Amino acid sequence: MGLALFHSIAVVTTIGGCSTYIGTTSASFLRQVRTNPDPNIRYVAYAKLGLPSIYDDEKHKAEAIETLTAKYAEAREPVAIRAIIVRSLGNLGDGRARPVAVRAANDSEAMIRLEGCRALGKVGKPEDATILARIMTVDTLEDCRIAAIEGLGSLKVQDPRINQVLLDGMEHDDPAIRLECLKSLRKITRKDFGTEPAAWRRELQPNVSGTTSGDDKSRAAYAVGPRPVPGPGS
């Protein structure tokens, strides 16, 4: 239901946007998210703030990141808007957004968790791969697991343990999981060994085995990690 609501709000926003002018600059979008009482208009403005091309200089971008971060922390916006805030922060690709991405990836709301995983892949640090690997392993929702795999591909961590997790995912029962693991392995390794897991294992197994052989506990901890911590408003 949450994802359906997310898309329905987007549709309403698009319709409403036809008759409401909200400006074209970062300053105008910031004004809308700060003062406009209409959540549909704020949704559009928050989304626009995620476009790197609207910023004339670093000062304006920094102001937007600070505002988006503060608005997320306040947890006063509806879930769908908080999710689009996280998406915009990820799209800006700035490391200052990492704390929000980490928190969002652990949020109890699936819509926010999904965007958090994608954003973390864009603004995270190598150690954040453990968060994404855990989510792709234990999350109960397919969309969130796929978003976590997508995040791993964007993060591009050169770690044999992550390769192992993705190799295992290529043999998952769910074809969507298998496909996303393949795509992420291609991004991380910048290679393409086809679509068969056996071919990938043949090429990557020496490195994987060197890290994981005789260290099953370490591998398991890397894949599962701690339990999610509820985000703001959870």
Side-chain angles (χ1 to χ4, degrees):
M1 178 178 289
L3 294 177
L5 175 61
F6 186 30
H7 293 305
S8 66
I9 288 181
V11 171
V12 170
T13 301
T14 303
I15 295 173
C18 293
S19 59
T20 304
Y21 180 73
I22 65 172
T24 59
T25 66
S26 61
S28 62
F29 300 139
L30 283 170
R31 184 168 58 252
Q32 295 296 332
V33 303
R34 289 167 176 162
T35 64
N36 200 304
D38 186 341
N40 290 329
I41 300 303
R42 294 200 306 277
Y43 181 99
V44 173
Y46 279 121
K48 294 290 187 181
L49 287 170
L51 300 174
S53 60
I54 69 171
Y55 299 101
D56 296 328
D57 52 42
E58 178 60 28
K59 178 182 177 181
H60 288 93
K61 182 179 178 182
E63 182 183 8
I65 292 172
E66 182 179 355
T67 299
L68 290 168
T69 300
K71 290 293 185 181
Y72 181 83
E74 288 173 2
R76 295 176 182 172
E77 293 284 18
V79 170
I81 290 183
R82 287 172 57 214
I84 203 66
I85 289 173
V86 176
R87 180 189 295 181
S88 288
L89 284 168
N91 288 343
L92 292 178
D94 192 293
R96 288 170 289 188
R98 177 178 175 265
V100 169
V102 170
R103 195 169 183 180
N106 287 310
D107 201 278
S108 60
E109 290 284 354
M111 194 186 310
I112 295 174
R113 196 161 67 251
L114 183 151
E115 295 297 345
C117 290
R118 290 174 175 159
L120 195 55
K122 298 173 182 177
V123 303
K125 295 181 178 181
E127 56 263 35
D128 296 327
T130 58
I131 298 174
L132 297 171
R134 169 182 51 79
I135 293 172
M136 76 162 278
T137 304
V138 304
D139 203 290
T140 57
L141 296 178
E142 181 191 55
D143 286 346
C144 291
R145 297 177 74 175
I146 290 175
I149 299 167
E150 182 181 332
L152 286 172
S154 299
L155 201 57
K156 296 184 177 70
V157 174
Q158 300 301 313
D159 188 323
R161 293 171 297 180
I162 288 298
N163 290 347
Q164 181 66 62
V165 171
L166 293 171
L167 282 169
D168 292 344
M170 284 185 67
E171 297 180 310
H172 197 277
D173 293 338
D174 187 332
I177 298 289
R178 295 199 301 269
L179 176 60
E180 202 61 44
C181 286
L182 171 61
K183 289 163 63 177
S184 287
L185 277 172
R186 285 171 173 167
K187 289 180 182 178
I188 293 170
T189 64
R190 297 183 180 180
K191 296 178 181 179
D192 188 354
F193 301 119
T195 59
E196 293 299 321
W200 282 90
R201 288 191 185 279
R202 206 163 38 242
E203 297 295 333
L204 300 181
Q205 201 69 48
N207 290 332
V208 169
S209 298
T211 301
T212 59
S213 256
D215 195 12
D216 292 338
K217 289 184 179 179
S218 174
R219 176 182 160 191
Y222 200 88
V224 177
R227 290 182 178 276
V229 178
S234 301

PDB file of all heavy atoms in Angstrom, residues 166-190:
ATOM      1  N   LEU A 166      26.733 -11.298  -3.871  1.00  0.00           N
ATOM      2  CA  LEU A 166      26.053 -11.095  -5.153  1.00  0.00           C
ATOM      3  C   LEU A 166      26.078 -12.367  -6.003  1.00  0.00           C
ATOM      4  O   LEU A 166      25.114 -12.666  -6.719  1.00  0.00           O
ATOM      5  CB  LEU A 166      26.694  -9.932  -5.910  1.00  0.00           C
ATOM      6  CG  LEU A 166      26.497  -8.550  -5.251  1.00  0.00           C
ATOM      7  CD1 LEU A 166      27.342  -7.499  -5.946  1.00  0.00           C
ATOM      8  CD2 LEU A 166      25.026  -8.148  -5.272  1.00  0.00           C
ATOM      9  N   LEU A 167      27.170 -13.112  -5.934  1.00  0.00           N
ATOM     10  CA  LEU A 167      27.228 -14.389  -6.644  1.00  0.00           C
ATOM     11  C   LEU A 167      26.155 -15.339  -6.131  1.00  0.00           C
ATOM     12  O   LEU A 167      25.470 -16.014  -6.913  1.00  0.00           O
ATOM     13  CB  LEU A 167      28.613 -15.019  -6.475  1.00  0.00           C
ATOM     14  CG  LEU A 167      29.741 -14.457  -7.345  1.00  0.00           C
ATOM     15  CD1 LEU A 167      31.083 -14.987  -6.870  1.00  0.00           C
ATOM     16  CD2 LEU A 167      29.508 -14.804  -8.808  1.00  0.00           C
ATOM     17  N   ASP A 168      25.993 -15.376  -4.807  1.00  0.00           N
ATOM     18  CA  ASP A 168      24.937 -16.213  -4.227  1.00  0.00           C
ATOM     19  C   ASP A 168      23.569 -15.732  -4.697  1.00  0.00           C
ATOM     20  O   ASP A 168      22.675 -16.534  -4.960  1.00  0.00           O
ATOM     21  CB  ASP A 168      25.012 -16.170  -2.695  1.00  0.00           C
ATOM     22  CG  ASP A 168      26.261 -16.853  -2.149  1.00  0.00           C
ATOM     23  OD1 ASP A 168      26.902 -17.616  -2.904  1.00  0.00           O
ATOM     24  OD2 ASP A 168      26.594 -16.611  -0.967  1.00  0.00           O
ATOM     25  N   GLY A 169      23.418 -14.401  -4.804  1.00  0.00           N
ATOM     26  CA  GLY A 169      22.145 -13.840  -5.260  1.00  0.00           C
ATOM     27  C   GLY A 169      21.813 -14.201  -6.688  1.00  0.00           C
ATOM     28  O   GLY A 169      20.636 -14.253  -7.070  1.00  0.00           O
ATOM     29  N   MET A 170      22.831 -14.465  -7.502  1.00  0.00           N
ATOM     30  CA  MET A 170      22.585 -14.858  -8.895  1.00  0.00           C
ATOM     31  C   MET A 170      21.921 -16.224  -8.999  1.00  0.00           C
ATOM     32  O   MET A 170      21.430 -16.595 -10.066  1.00  0.00           O
ATOM     33  CB  MET A 170      23.899 -14.865  -9.681  1.00  0.00           C
ATOM     34  CG  MET A 170      24.407 -13.484 -10.056  1.00  0.00           C
ATOM     35  SD  MET A 170      25.883 -13.555 -11.103  1.00  0.00           S
ATOM     36  CE  MET A 170      25.197 -14.277 -12.619  1.00  0.00           C
ATOM     37  N   GLU A 171      21.889 -16.966  -7.894  1.00  0.00           N
ATOM     38  CA  GLU A 171      21.240 -18.277  -7.876  1.00  0.00           C
ATOM     39  C   GLU A 171      19.978 -18.262  -7.026  1.00  0.00           C
ATOM     40  O   GLU A 171      19.470 -19.311  -6.630  1.00  0.00           O
ATOM     41  CB  GLU A 171      22.233 -19.325  -7.361  1.00  0.00           C
ATOM     42  CG  GLU A 171      23.438 -19.466  -8.285  1.00  0.00           C
ATOM     43  CD  GLU A 171      24.441 -20.503  -7.805  1.00  0.00           C
ATOM     44  OE1 GLU A 171      24.817 -20.447  -6.620  1.00  0.00           O
ATOM     45  OE2 GLU A 171      24.829 -21.370  -8.623  1.00  0.00           O
ATOM     46  N   HIS A 172      19.465 -17.071  -6.752  1.00  0.00           N
ATOM     47  CA  HIS A 172      18.243 -16.927  -5.958  1.00  0.00           C
ATOM     48  C   HIS A 172      17.039 -17.429  -6.745  1.00  0.00           C
ATOM     49  O   HIS A 172      17.026 -17.445  -7.980  1.00  0.00           O
ATOM     50  CB  HIS A 172      18.052 -15.448  -5.602  1.00  0.00           C
ATOM     51  CG  HIS A 172      17.092 -15.213  -4.491  1.00  0.00           C
ATOM     52  ND1 HIS A 172      15.724 -15.153  -4.690  1.00  0.00           N
ATOM     53  CD2 HIS A 172      17.295 -15.024  -3.153  1.00  0.00           C
ATOM     54  CE1 HIS A 172      15.128 -14.921  -3.533  1.00  0.00           C
ATOM     55  NE2 HIS A 172      16.046 -14.845  -2.585  1.00  0.00           N
ATOM     56  N   ASP A 173      15.996 -17.826  -6.023  1.00  0.00           N
ATOM     57  CA  ASP A 173      14.772 -18.301  -6.677  1.00  0.00           C
ATOM     58  C   ASP A 173      14.059 -17.188  -7.448  1.00  0.00           C
ATOM     59  O   ASP A 173      13.364 -17.450  -8.428  1.00  0.00           O
ATOM     60  CB  ASP A 173      13.801 -18.876  -5.630  1.00  0.00           C
ATOM     61  CG  ASP A 173      14.331 -20.154  -4.997  1.00  0.00           C
ATOM     62  OD1 ASP A 173      15.190 -20.808  -5.622  1.00  0.00           O
ATOM     63  OD2 ASP A 173      13.887 -20.496  -3.889  1.00  0.00           O
ATOM     64  N   ASP A 174      14.218 -15.961  -6.995  1.00  0.00           N
ATOM     65  CA  ASP A 174      13.524 -14.816  -7.596  1.00  0.00           C
ATOM     66  C   ASP A 174      14.322 -14.284  -8.792  1.00  0.00           C
ATOM     67  O   ASP A 174      15.457 -13.838  -8.633  1.00  0.00           O
ATOM     68  CB  ASP A 174      13.358 -13.718  -6.545  1.00  0.00           C
ATOM     69  CG  ASP A 174      12.495 -12.563  -7.017  1.00  0.00           C
ATOM     70  OD1 ASP A 174      12.447 -12.310  -8.234  1.00  0.00           O
ATOM     71  OD2 ASP A 174      11.865 -11.906  -6.169  1.00  0.00           O
ATOM     72  N   PRO A 175      13.745 -14.317  -9.998  1.00  0.00           N
ATOM     73  CA  PRO A 175      14.482 -13.836 -11.174  1.00  0.00           C
ATOM     74  C   PRO A 175      14.863 -12.360 -11.110  1.00  0.00           C
ATOM     75  O   PRO A 175      15.888 -11.961 -11.660  1.00  0.00           O
ATOM     76  CB  PRO A 175      13.513 -14.107 -12.340  1.00  0.00           C
ATOM     77  CG  PRO A 175      12.162 -14.233 -11.704  1.00  0.00           C
ATOM     78  CD  PRO A 175      12.406 -14.821 -10.360  1.00  0.00           C
ATOM     79  N   ALA A 176      14.051 -11.551 -10.427  1.00  0.00           N
ATOM     80  CA  ALA A 176      14.374 -10.128 -10.297  1.00  0.00           C
ATOM     81  C   ALA A 176      15.627  -9.935  -9.446  1.00  0.00           C
ATOM     82  O   ALA A 176      16.466  -9.070  -9.734  1.00  0.00           O
ATOM     83  CB  ALA A 176      13.199  -9.369  -9.687  1.00  0.00           C
ATOM     84  N   ILE A 177      15.770 -10.734  -8.388  1.00  0.00           N
ATOM     85  CA  ILE A 177      16.960 -10.690  -7.549  1.00  0.00           C
ATOM     86  C   ILE A 177      18.179 -11.131  -8.352  1.00  0.00           C
ATOM     87  O   ILE A 177      19.247 -10.511  -8.297  1.00  0.00           O
ATOM     88  CB  ILE A 177      16.799 -11.593  -6.306  1.00  0.00           C
ATOM     89  CG1 ILE A 177      15.635 -11.108  -5.422  1.00  0.00           C
ATOM     90  CG2 ILE A 177      18.105 -11.674  -5.524  1.00  0.00           C
ATOM     91  CD1 ILE A 177      15.898  -9.817  -4.704  1.00  0.00           C
ATOM     92  N   ARG A 178      18.012 -12.212  -9.110  1.00  0.00           N
ATOM     93  CA  ARG A 178      19.126 -12.722  -9.916  1.00  0.00           C
ATOM     94  C   ARG A 178      19.614 -11.668 -10.904  1.00  0.00           C
ATOM     95  O   ARG A 178      20.817 -11.437 -11.058  1.00  0.00           O
ATOM     96  CB  ARG A 178      18.699 -13.984 -10.675  1.00  0.00           C
ATOM     97  CG  ARG A 178      18.360 -15.176  -9.789  1.00  0.00           C
ATOM     98  CD  ARG A 178      18.400 -16.488 -10.564  1.00  0.00           C
ATOM     99  NE  ARG A 178      17.478 -16.524 -11.683  1.00  0.00           N
ATOM    100  CZ  ARG A 178      16.215 -16.978 -11.605  1.00  0.00           C
ATOM    101  NH1 ARG A 178      15.734 -17.394 -10.441  1.00  0.00           N
ATOM    102  NH2 ARG A 178      15.439 -17.008 -12.680  1.00  0.00           N
ATOM    103  N   LEU A 179      18.674 -11.005 -11.576  1.00  0.00           N
ATOM    104  CA  LEU A 179      19.032 -10.003 -12.581  1.00  0.00           C
ATOM    105  C   LEU A 179      19.758  -8.813 -11.954  1.00  0.00           C
ATOM    106  O   LEU A 179      20.772  -8.343 -12.480  1.00  0.00           O
ATOM    107  CB  LEU A 179      17.775  -9.528 -13.314  1.00  0.00           C
ATOM    108  CG  LEU A 179      17.990  -8.401 -14.337  1.00  0.00           C
ATOM    109  CD1 LEU A 179      18.954  -8.846 -15.425  1.00  0.00           C
ATOM    110  CD2 LEU A 179      16.647  -7.969 -14.937  1.00  0.00           C
ATOM    111  N   GLU A 180      19.245  -8.340 -10.811  1.00  0.00           N
ATOM    112  CA  GLU A 180      19.858  -7.164 -10.186  1.00  0.00           C
ATOM    113  C   GLU A 180      21.254  -7.488  -9.660  1.00  0.00           C
ATOM    114  O   GLU A 180      22.151  -6.650  -9.731  1.00  0.00           O
ATOM    115  CB  GLU A 180      18.968  -6.646  -9.051  1.00  0.00           C
ATOM    116  CG  GLU A 180      19.203  -5.187  -8.708  1.00  0.00           C
ATOM    117  CD  GLU A 180      18.933  -4.252  -9.871  1.00  0.00           C
ATOM    118  OE1 GLU A 180      17.917  -4.426 -10.563  1.00  0.00           O
ATOM    119  OE2 GLU A 180      19.755  -3.325 -10.088  1.00  0.00           O
ATOM    120  N   CYS A 181      21.444  -8.708  -9.158  1.00  0.00           N
ATOM    121  CA  CYS A 181      22.778  -9.118  -8.714  1.00  0.00           C
ATOM    122  C   CYS A 181      23.749  -9.155  -9.891  1.00  0.00           C
ATOM    123  O   CYS A 181      24.908  -8.728  -9.768  1.00  0.00           O
ATOM    124  CB  CYS A 181      22.720 -10.492  -8.039  1.00  0.00           C
ATOM    125  SG  CYS A 181      21.989 -10.468  -6.375  1.00  0.00           S
ATOM    126  N   LEU A 182      23.293  -9.634 -11.023  1.00  0.00           N
ATOM    127  CA  LEU A 182      24.127  -9.660 -12.228  1.00  0.00           C
ATOM    128  C   LEU A 182      24.510  -8.241 -12.641  1.00  0.00           C
ATOM    129  O   LEU A 182      25.681  -7.955 -12.917  1.00  0.00           O
ATOM    130  CB  LEU A 182      23.370 -10.354 -13.361  1.00  0.00           C
ATOM    131  CG  LEU A 182      24.013 -10.274 -14.754  1.00  0.00           C
ATOM    132  CD1 LEU A 182      25.383 -10.946 -14.747  1.00  0.00           C
ATOM    133  CD2 LEU A 182      23.094 -10.910 -15.796  1.00  0.00           C
ATOM    134  N   LYS A 183      23.535  -7.341 -12.658  1.00  0.00           N
ATOM    135  CA  LYS A 183      23.802  -5.962 -13.053  1.00  0.00           C
ATOM    136  C   LYS A 183      24.801  -5.295 -12.105  1.00  0.00           C
ATOM    137  O   LYS A 183      25.696  -4.553 -12.545  1.00  0.00           O
ATOM    138  CB  LYS A 183      22.489  -5.170 -13.092  1.00  0.00           C
ATOM    139  CG  LYS A 183      21.577  -5.567 -14.250  1.00  0.00           C
ATOM    140  CD  LYS A 183      20.152  -5.099 -14.060  1.00  0.00           C
ATOM    141  CE  LYS A 183      20.009  -3.603 -14.003  1.00  0.00           C
ATOM    142  NZ  LYS A 183      18.586  -3.197 -13.892  1.00  0.00           N
ATOM    143  N   SER A 184      24.667  -5.560 -10.804  1.00  0.00           N
ATOM    144  CA  SER A 184      25.574  -4.952  -9.838  1.00  0.00           C
ATOM    145  C   SER A 184      26.989  -5.520  -9.956  1.00  0.00           C
ATOM    146  O   SER A 184      27.969  -4.787  -9.832  1.00  0.00           O
ATOM    147  CB  SER A 184      25.043  -5.154  -8.415  1.00  0.00           C
ATOM    148  OG  SER A 184      23.925  -4.309  -8.183  1.00  0.00           O
ATOM    149  N   LEU A 185      27.100  -6.809 -10.204  1.00  0.00           N
ATOM    150  CA  LEU A 185      28.428  -7.397 -10.414  1.00  0.00           C
ATOM    151  C   LEU A 185      29.108  -6.793 -11.633  1.00  0.00           C
ATOM    152  O   LEU A 185      30.327  -6.549 -11.632  1.00  0.00           O
ATOM    153  CB  LEU A 185      28.322  -8.916 -10.561  1.00  0.00           C
ATOM    154  CG  LEU A 185      28.254  -9.719  -9.259  1.00  0.00           C
ATOM    155  CD1 LEU A 185      27.947 -11.182  -9.548  1.00  0.00           C
ATOM    156  CD2 LEU A 185      29.559  -9.593  -8.476  1.00  0.00           C
ATOM    157  N   ARG A 186      28.344  -6.547 -12.673  1.00  0.00           N
ATOM    158  CA  ARG A 186      28.914  -5.916 -13.866  1.00  0.00           C
ATOM    159  C   ARG A 186      29.420  -4.512 -13.551  1.00  0.00           C
ATOM    160  O   ARG A 186      30.479  -4.094 -14.034  1.00  0.00           O
ATOM    161  CB  ARG A 186      27.863  -5.859 -14.977  1.00  0.00           C
ATOM    162  CG  ARG A 186      27.597  -7.213 -15.654  1.00  0.00           C
ATOM    163  CD  ARG A 186      26.407  -7.139 -16.585  1.00  0.00           C
ATOM    164  NE  ARG A 186      26.242  -8.370 -17.358  1.00  0.00           N
ATOM    165  CZ  ARG A 186      25.147  -8.667 -18.056  1.00  0.00           C
ATOM    166  NH1 ARG A 186      24.123  -7.813 -18.085  1.00  0.00           N
ATOM    167  NH2 ARG A 186      25.071  -9.790 -18.738  1.00  0.00           N
ATOM    168  N   LYS A 187      28.664  -3.765 -12.745  1.00  0.00           N
ATOM    169  CA  LYS A 187      29.086  -2.409 -12.378  1.00  0.00           C
ATOM    170  C   LYS A 187      30.340  -2.437 -11.507  1.00  0.00           C
ATOM    171  O   LYS A 187      31.263  -1.646 -11.696  1.00  0.00           O
ATOM    172  CB  LYS A 187      27.956  -1.693 -11.626  1.00  0.00           C
ATOM    173  CG  LYS A 187      26.764  -1.312 -12.475  1.00  0.00           C
ATOM    174  CD  LYS A 187      25.709  -0.616 -11.619  1.00  0.00           C
ATOM    175  CE  LYS A 187      24.477  -0.257 -12.428  1.00  0.00           C
ATOM    176  NZ  LYS A 187      23.428   0.376 -11.576  1.00  0.00           N
ATOM    177  N   ILE A 188      30.372  -3.336 -10.536  1.00  0.00           N
ATOM    178  CA  ILE A 188      31.482  -3.392  -9.589  1.00  0.00           C
ATOM    179  C   ILE A 188      32.775  -3.848 -10.264  1.00  0.00           C
ATOM    180  O   ILE A 188      33.845  -3.256 -10.061  1.00  0.00           O
ATOM    181  CB  ILE A 188      31.138  -4.318  -8.411  1.00  0.00           C
ATOM    182  CG1 ILE A 188      30.010  -3.716  -7.561  1.00  0.00           C
ATOM    183  CG2 ILE A 188      32.367  -4.592  -7.544  1.00  0.00           C
ATOM    184  CD1 ILE A 188      29.451  -4.654  -6.519  1.00  0.00           C
ATOM    185  N   THR A 189      32.681  -4.908 -11.063  1.00  0.00           N
ATOM    186  CA  THR A 189      33.880  -5.478 -11.679  1.00  0.00           C
ATOM    187  C   THR A 189      34.232  -4.831 -13.015  1.00  0.00           C
ATOM    188  O   THR A 189      35.355  -4.967 -13.491  1.00  0.00           O
ATOM    189  CB  THR A 189      33.683  -6.985 -11.922  1.00  0.00           C
ATOM    190  OG1 THR A 189      32.613  -7.179 -12.869  1.00  0.00           O
ATOM    191  CG2 THR A 189      33.346  -7.708 -10.625  1.00  0.00           C
ATOM    192  N   ARG A 190      33.261  -4.141 -13.601  1.00  0.00           N
ATOM    193  CA  ARG A 190      33.435  -3.560 -14.952  1.00  0.00           C
ATOM    194  C   ARG A 190      33.783  -4.647 -15.963  1.00  0.00           C
ATOM    195  O   ARG A 190      34.543  -4.432 -16.909  1.00  0.00           O
ATOM    196  CB  ARG A 190      34.510  -2.467 -14.942  1.00  0.00           C
ATOM    197  CG  ARG A 190      34.156  -1.280 -14.072  1.00  0.00           C
ATOM    198  CD  ARG A 190      35.208  -0.201 -14.149  1.00  0.00           C
ATOM    199  NE  ARG A 190      34.852   0.940 -13.308  1.00  0.00           N
ATOM    200  CZ  ARG A 190      35.580   2.041 -13.181  1.00  0.00           C
ATOM    201  NH1 ARG A 190      36.725   2.149 -13.860  1.00  0.00           N
ATOM    202  NH2 ARG A 190      35.195   3.025 -12.399  1.00  0.00           N
TER     203      ARG A 190
END
